[in-house]
Amino acid sequence: TIFTIHDVIVFRYPQYWNLTESKSQHLKLVAQQCKAIVTCSECSKRDIVQFLNVPESKVTSIPWGINRDMFKPMYDDEYLHSIGIKGLYYFTSSANHPRKNLSLLLNSYRTYLSMGGCGQLVILNPEEEHLAGVADLISEEKIIVLRKISDRELAVLYTNALCSLMLSSYEGFGLPILESLACGTQVICACNSSLTEAGGDIVDYISEMDDSMIAQKMLGYD
């Protein structure tokens, strides 16, 4: 049997997945007894070797790709106007888990506005609990919250953004980076885990996860 494993984030952040000792031992046993393992990044490969106690030679990294028939420059002003986008905006499609650091992004956006930034912030699928502190910005339509959009709408949002943002502390791969770049839009990105593999030397990395530094980065795209 050959297993495919996207990542073993459950071992890196067990508090978010209720990883019990019995589950941990079962996953390790499966990995150790299979013939080979395929994963999507060198980062995930290193984690699989470390956390599942398998030899490096047993794990092969084959990077993910995207559907370029779907993710390409795409324009639809009518759709953008219908969801409240009035002009310049930043976009994140990565906001629905604590490791995505949505709170940091929201704080950075407030700092960006205080520095004279004029772009809106569009957030896809955030957890409601993180939005309480920005109710004023949502009511003023400075922040736009979206849920349940189509792939076509996602491509439109990437294409027309000043820049997309990915501030995650950990990713097994980082598909939003490829999606954004395929739509012709630069990415402001955390510099960790597999994100540097997905972004290569193209994306705009953040050396420190600090709200003022992120705000300054954003201002550079206004």
Side-chain angles (χ1 to χ4, degrees):
T1 303
I2 297 175
F3 278 93
T4 59
I5 300 175
H6 179 272
D7 60 50
V8 286
I9 192 172
V10 63
F11 285 89
R12 191 166 287 282
Y13 295 98
Q15 66 273 27
Y16 296 134
W17 278 273
N18 190 30
L19 180 63
T20 64
E21 183 61 25
S22 61
K23 289 179 182 177
S24 173
Q25 291 304 316
H26 174 72
L27 290 170
K28 290 177 181 179
L29 184 64
V30 166
Q32 291 163 8
Q33 291 190 351
C34 70
K35 182 177 181 180
I37 298 169
V38 175
T39 191
C40 57
S41 68
E42 290 298 312
C43 172
S44 282
K45 177 177 178 176
R46 289 191 296 270
D47 283 355
I48 289 167
V49 171
Q50 175 185 347
F51 290 112
L52 302 184
N53 299 322
V54 297
E56 184 177 350
S57 59
K58 192 174 187 175
V59 188
T60 299
S61 169
I62 304 175
W64 288 121
I66 58 170
N67 181 353
R68 288 187 173 271
D69 291 330
M70 177 57 64
F71 291 102
K72 59 186 177 182
M74 197 169 294
Y75 302 90
D76 188 340
D77 288 343
E78 184 177 345
Y79 168 67
L80 295 177
H81 294 156
S82 74
I83 60 175
I85 293 176
K86 300 173 181 178
L88 307 177
Y89 69 93
Y90 292 85
F91 175 59
T92 181
S93 63
S94 183
N96 60 354
H97 189 271
R99 78 181 191 282
K100 307 287 189 177
N101 294 316
L102 178 57
S103 295
L104 173 62
L105 173 57
L106 297 176
N107 290 338
S108 301
Y109 181 62
R110 276 201 186 275
T111 303
Y112 157 84
L113 292 175
S114 73
M115 292 176 171
C118 57
Q120 293 172 284
L121 176 63
V122 181
I123 304 172
L124 182 61
N125 297 326
E127 294 185 339
E128 286 291 340
E129 64 199 61
H130 294 136
L131 300 178
V134 291
D136 58 326
L137 298 180
I138 294 173
S139 66
E140 295 167 10
E141 294 191 335
K142 286 185 167 58
I143 292 179
I144 305 293
V145 176
L146 300 177
R147 303 185 190 280
K148 297 181 179 179
I149 67 172
S150 68
D151 282 346
R152 181 185 181 280
E153 290 166 342
L154 178 57
V156 171
L157 288 166
Y158 279 128
T159 300
N160 294 274
L162 286 164
C163 190
S164 60
L165 302 116
M166 194 165 187
L167 306 183
S168 179
S169 296
Y170 180 93
E171 293 294 331
F173 185 72
L175 281 172
I177 295 175
L178 297 191
E179 293 168 353
S180 183
L181 294 175
C183 293
T185 300
Q186 179 59 288
V187 185
I188 295 175
C189 185
C191 188
N192 62 57
S193 59
S194 65
L195 298 179
T196 54
E197 295 180 56
D201 58 0
I202 298 173
V203 308
D204 194 354
Y205 293 107
I206 302 164
S207 57
E208 295 181 31
M209 297 286 272
D210 173 79
D211 59 355
S212 61
M213 179 171 289
I214 294 165
Q216 287 285 1
K217 286 277 191 185
M218 294 172 69
L219 283 170
Y221 291 89
D222 271 22

